[in-house]
């Protein structure tokens, strides 16, 4: 019996967008990676700060405090870009916190965690409201449209049933570049591709 494989949504989409032997090398790197520990999570500090900014209404200065407290040289180089990008996204928008849902996607023996970090209710100048469930993307490489579409498809498929507000839209924010990708429909046309890729990931994993 094949072992249960648990991976993150970001890892899975990274796999989908690899080609040829790069796919096998990517799976191998994930399989040999140590089990998750908070100290190993490179973006944990800034992710937590962004969540608390909205959830606990702590204000933008919480992002500056993260920068002041950094000791890791690699974080000192890239965190300022992340903070600047998120501040641009915030601008003068008025947001209220929405608790984001979470649900695993199970395909065969593979389990992919679909876990957007923040939910936002945006009040527009004309008094209307926008509702977003948002996955945060921090990596140095720009998020491609195909990658964004794949992530949004899985969010739509797994999380829509958990939403009480039909107007809620799923989104992913490429934080460094302040690029906000929003799913504007309920279409799941990417699903057959993603199901096939999930089985492919599991096959490669089991062969290593």
């Amino acid at each position: 019996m094949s072992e249960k494989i648990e991976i993150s949504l970001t890892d899975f989409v990274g796999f989908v967008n690899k080609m040829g032997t790069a796919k096998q090398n990517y799976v191998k790197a994930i399989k040999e990676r140590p089990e998750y520990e908070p100290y190993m999570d490179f973006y944990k500090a800034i992710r937590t700060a962004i969540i608390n900014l909205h959830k606990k209404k702590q204000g933008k200065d919480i992002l500056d405090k993260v920068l002041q407290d950094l000791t890791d040289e690699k974080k000192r180089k890239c965190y300022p870009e992340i903070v600047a990008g998120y501040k641009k996204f915030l601008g003068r928008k008025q947001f209220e916190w929405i608790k984001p849902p979470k649900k695993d996607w199970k395909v065969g023996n593979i389990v992919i965690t679909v876990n957007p970090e923040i939910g936002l209710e945006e009040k527009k100048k004309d008094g209307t409201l926008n509702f977003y469930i948002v996955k945060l993307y921090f990596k140095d490489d720009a998020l491609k449209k195909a990658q964004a579409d794949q992530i949004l498809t899985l969010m739509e498929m797994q999380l829509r049933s958990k939403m009480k507000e039909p107007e809620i839209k799923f989104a992913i924010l490429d934080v460094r570049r302040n690029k906000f990708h929003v799913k504007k429909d309920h279409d799941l046309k990417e699903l057959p591709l993603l199901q096939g890729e999930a089985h492919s990931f599991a096959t490669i994993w089991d062969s290593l």
Side-chain angles (χ1 to χ4, degrees):
M1 183 176 178
S2 299
E3 66 176 298
K4 182 179 178 182
I5 306 166
E6 297 184 57
I7 60 171
S8 70
L9 177 57
T10 303
D11 279 342
F12 176 63
V13 171
F15 169 79
V16 172
N17 288 275
K18 299 291 183 187
M19 299 292 288
T21 56
K23 280 185 176 292
Q24 182 168 318
N25 295 335
Y26 188 81
V27 175
K28 187 174 186 291
I30 293 175
K31 189 169 185 177
E32 295 177 351
R33 191 168 60 193
E35 285 192 31
Y36 174 85
E37 294 288 349
Y39 75 87
M40 296 165 55
D41 187 342
F42 188 79
Y43 299 108
K44 180 176 172 54
I46 190 62
R47 185 187 303 109
T48 300
I50 289 173
I51 291 170
N52 287 339
L53 184 155
H54 296 289
K55 187 176 182 180
K56 299 182 179 180
K57 299 183 179 181
Q58 293 190 340
K60 295 180 184 178
D61 56 338
I62 190 176
L63 304 179
D64 298 319
K65 188 174 188 310
V66 170
L67 298 182
Q68 294 166 6
D69 294 343
L70 291 177
T71 56
D72 184 299
E73 283 302 319
K74 290 183 179 179
K75 292 179 182 177
R76 283 179 172 176
K77 289 181 180 179
C78 74
Y79 266 42
E81 183 181 14
I82 294 171
V83 168
Y86 201 73
K87 284 184 175 180
K88 285 180 182 178
F89 169 70
L90 290 174
R92 296 189 177 184
K93 301 183 187 78
Q94 296 183 43
F95 287 128
E96 292 293 330
W97 171 257
I98 301 172
K99 183 179 178 181
K102 174 182 176 181
K103 187 178 179 182
D104 292 338
W105 182 44
K106 300 177 182 178
V107 184
N109 62 316
I110 190 168
V111 179
I112 299 164
T113 303
V114 183
N115 59 339
E117 292 88 354
I118 57 176
L120 301 173
E121 175 189 304
E122 178 189 11
K123 185 174 183 180
K124 306 289 285 185
K125 290 181 180 179
D126 61 4
T128 59
L129 300 175
N130 287 331
F131 304 92
Y132 300 107
I133 299 298
V134 186
K135 181 72 182 167
L136 299 173
Y137 178 88
F138 296 110
K139 293 186 177 182
D140 186 39
D141 295 334
L143 183 70
K144 298 175 182 177
K145 183 180 184 300
Q147 293 172 299
D149 289 344
Q150 291 153 12
I151 291 170
L152 293 173
T153 292
L154 289 181
M155 289 172 67
E156 176 72 35
M157 179 181 70
Q158 292 301 97
L159 306 178
R160 174 60 63 188
S161 63
K162 291 178 170 287
M163 298 286 89
K164 295 179 180 179
E165 294 285 349
E167 298 87 359
I168 281 182
K169 294 180 180 179
F170 296 106
I172 179 167
L173 175 65
D174 184 343
V175 181
R176 298 191 195 212
R177 284 152 285 270
N178 181 27
K179 181 69 174 176
F180 199 48
H181 302 265
V182 180
K183 186 160 182 56
K184 299 177 181 178
D185 55 43
H186 303 308
D187 192 276
L188 301 177
K189 63 179 180 294
E190 303 274 347
L191 185 55
L193 164 69
L194 297 173
Q195 289 172 326
E197 292 287 351
H199 287 297
S200 175
F201 187 103
T203 298
I204 295 171
W205 180 287
D206 290 339
S207 72
L208 295 173

